[in-house]
């Protein structure tokens, strides 16, 4: 991996004239906030930009794109990815199209595979949006409330509203600064963390009924099937918000959320409390992520999938000296 520092990343962006900014599949607030903040900022200093993602923009993040018009000139573009740990996370078709030609990747995942020609990586940052904020400063962009709202969205969502272990004093300082640029944080955080659709509430009820516990109550597991999406009217985008709930039960150190994909395979999301390393557990099934939030997939039947992930989780608890 060719790692570059902040100043070099800023000068690379400065040299680009038309930029396609790619977000990861199943886009979250950090990849989208980072992408739209960067797109708006680069446009304001005369670059042509577009934001692109294999999946559509989730409803909660449509504000990121409001008032932004892509204006790239096809064929002469540079490719920049944000918050993408692995080219495969661009989604299959985008992986094939862009995976090998990314000029610059801006990211904060310690599991970053170094797929881009150059990578600006800060593993200690709570969100990629923090890195984008630094780049915006170095590019001498005039901050607008719209840009600041995108940055705030990235930081607030990736830190679980400044509650997760990765939250730093810097995260709060960035947030304070974004407020000074005019961001109204309360409606954003209400939308991200409080307001539920009725379909989500129905899915939540079904998922909570099925909670299973392992390893002396230190592991809580939920399963969401395609059938449950049909019954509730909910979907995969909404499911993401269920994931942290597995870790909210007293005594639970590892929350496991397993969802059935439309092809019948399973996507596993882990949320842990330190010292249990979620990315190390997921790596055993070919996945990765952060210390307290990671994911992997399984193509085995459900019960075998559960047995695998619970076994690896049990081993991790044991290695940490906990009784299982
Ligand atoms: Mn992120």
């Amino acid at each position: 991996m060719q790692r570059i520092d902040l100043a070099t990343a800023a000068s690379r962006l400065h040299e680009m004239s038309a930029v396609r900014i790619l977000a990861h599949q199943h886009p979250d607030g950090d990849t989208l906030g980072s992408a739209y903040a960067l797109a708006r900022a680069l446009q304001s200093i005369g670059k042509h930009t577009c934001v692109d993602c294999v999946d559509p923009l989730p409803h909660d993040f449509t504000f990121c794109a409001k008032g932004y018009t892509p204006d790239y000139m096809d064929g002469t573009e540079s490719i920049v990815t944000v918050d993408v740990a692995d080219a495969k996370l661009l989604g299959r078709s985008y992986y094939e199209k862009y995976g090998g030609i990314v000029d610059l990747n801006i990211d904060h995942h310690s599991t970053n595979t170094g797929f881009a020609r150059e990578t600006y990586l800060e593993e200690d940052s709570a969100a990629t949006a923090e890195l984008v904020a630094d780049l915006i400063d170095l590019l001498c962009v005039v901050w607008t409330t719209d840009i600041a709202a995108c940055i705030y969205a990235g930081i607030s969502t990736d830190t679980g509203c400044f509650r997760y272990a990765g939250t730093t004093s810097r995260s709060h300082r960035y947030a304070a600064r974004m407020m000074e640029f005019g961001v109204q944080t309360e409606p954003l955080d209400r939308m991200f963390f409080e307001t539920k659709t009725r379909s989500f509430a129905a899915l939540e009820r079904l998922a909570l009924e099925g909670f299973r516990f392992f390893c002396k109550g230190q592991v809580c597991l939920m399963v969401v099937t395609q059938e449950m999406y049909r019954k509730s009217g909910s979907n995969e985008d909404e499911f993401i918000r269920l994931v942290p709930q597995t870790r909210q039960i007293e005594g639970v150190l590892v929350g496991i959320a397993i969802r059935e994909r439309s092809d019948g395979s399973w996507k596993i999301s882990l949320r842990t409390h330190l010292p249990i390393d979620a990315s190390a557990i997921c790596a055993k099934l070919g996945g990765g992520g952060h210390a307290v939030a990671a994911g992997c997939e399984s193509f085995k039947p459900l019960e075998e999938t559960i047995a695998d992930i619970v076994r690896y989780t049990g081993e991790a608890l044991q290695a940490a000296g906990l009784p299982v």
Side-chain angles (χ1 to χ4, degrees), residues 77-243:
E77 63 202 21
S78 303
I79 312 280
V80 175
T81 49
V82 282
D83 199 46
V84 180
D86 184 325
K88 292 196 174 98
L89 298 174
L90 292 170
R92 181 169 297 189
S93 61
Y94 277 38
Y95 169 63
E96 283 163 10
K97 198 168 172 189
Y98 300 113
I101 56 164
V102 175
D103 296 294
L104 171 63
N105 185 18
I106 304 162
D107 187 32
H108 69 131
H109 294 87
S110 59
T111 53
N112 190 289
T113 60
F115 64 87
R117 203 154 58 77
E118 294 184 306
T119 304
Y120 173 46
L121 179 67
E122 291 287 351
E123 298 98 323
D124 296 335
S125 287
T128 296
E130 295 184 358
L131 313 184
V132 173
D134 289 345
L135 288 165
I136 287 172
D137 281 335
L138 276 193
L139 289 165
C140 299
V141 168
V142 177
W143 281 89
T144 63
T145 304
D146 286 339
I147 295 174
C150 292
I151 295 294
Y152 182 81
I155 300 171
S156 178
T157 55
D158 252 27
T159 58
C161 212
F162 306 90
R163 290 177 296 126
Y164 295 162
T167 312
T168 65
S169 57
R170 279 181 296 125
S171 309
H172 288 279
R173 277 192 213 108
Y174 285 109
R177 221 174 137 222
M178 298 311 123
M179 290 179 87
E180 283 158 12
F181 292 133
V183 178
Q184 301 284 317
T185 59
E186 190 277 336
L188 288 178
D189 287 325
R190 175 156 33 101
M191 177 171 68
F192 299 148
F193 301 103
E194 284 188 41
T195 308
K196 299 172 185 182
T197 62
R198 287 165 70 158
S199 57
F200 175 80
L203 180 70
E204 188 176 33
R205 186 176 62 78
L206 293 172
L208 291 174
E209 272 175 4
F211 267 13
R212 290 159 72 169
F213 294 90
F214 300 91
C215 303
K216 299 193 167 144
Q218 296 167 108
V219 178
C220 173
L221 182 142
M222 80 160 67
V223 176
V224 167
T225 60
Q226 291 287 323
E227 172 68 16
M228 287 159 77
Y229 289 145
R230 274 192 293 276
K231 266 192 189 162
S232 61
S234 188
N235 57 46
E236 187 151 359
D237 288 338
E238 293 191 328
F239 164 85
I240 301 299
R241 286 176 67 166
L242 273 177
V243 176

